[in-house]
Amino acid sequence: MVVAGAIGLVWLGMVLGISFLEAPLKFRAPGVTVPLGLGIGRLVFAALNKVEVVLALGIWVALVVSAGSAGALVAAGAVSVVLLVQLAAVRPVLNRRSDRVLAGGEAPRSHAHLWYVGLEVVKVAGLVVLGAFALG
C-alpha cells in the first residue's frame, strides 16, 4: 500500500500546485489577458487531467496488488469518482465557454468553474485520506 500512498501524495502535490497556485496566479501576471490565460489553462489542465488518469490507474493497481485496506479503497474510489465527474461533466462545459472566449466572443461567467474548484477541494481531501490510510 505504500506505493498507492506515494502515488496519491504525488497527485496531491500536482493538484495543489496547479489548481491552487498556478491557475489563479497566471491571471495576475503582467500582460496576461483573459484569452491568453484561458489558452494556457486549457493546455495545463488537459495535461494535468491526463496525468491524473494515469495516477488513478496506478493507485488502483497498487491497491489491488497489495490488498489495500477498506479505508484506502474507499478514498481511492471517492477520488476516482470526483475525477470522472470533472472530466465527463464539468470540463466539457468549461471548454465550451473558453472556446467562445478564445474565438473572440463574449461568454458569461460560468458556475461550472465553481463546481470544478469545489471538486478539487474534495479531491484534495480524498487524496489526504488515501495517503493517511495507505501510509499510516
Side-chain angles (χ1 to χ4, degrees):
M1 278 203 320
V2 172
V3 172
I7 294 170
L9 293 179
V10 167
W11 186 357
L12 173 65
M14 292 180 73
V15 171
L16 291 173
I18 292 173
S19 295
F20 296 104
L21 285 177
E22 182 275 337
L25 289 177
K26 81 172 149 265
F27 289 102
R28 294 184 178 169
V32 175
T33 62
V34 171
L36 179 60
L38 286 176
I40 293 168
R42 281 180 66 156
L43 288 172
V44 169
F45 277 92
L48 173 64
N49 291 153
K50 287 174 185 162
V51 172
E52 286 181 301
V53 169
V54 171
L55 293 173
L57 292 172
I59 287 169
W60 281 108
V61 168
L63 288 175
V64 168
V65 168
S66 67
S69 70
L73 291 168
V74 169
V79 170
S80 297
V81 168
V82 167
L83 179 60
L84 287 173
V85 170
Q86 287 178 309
L87 296 178
V90 183
R91 279 293 307 271
V93 174
L94 292 172
N95 285 342
R96 285 192 296 274
R97 180 183 183 278
S98 63
D99 284 343
R100 287 191 298 268
V101 172
L102 292 172
E106 292 292 321
R109 292 190 69 81
S110 171
H111 293 298
H113 187 259
L114 296 176
W115 278 102
Y116 195 90
V117 172
L119 289 167
E120 288 289 77
V121 171
V122 173
K123 190 191 308 173
V124 163
L127 290 167
V128 169
V129 170
L130 171 64
F133 275 110
L135 300 173

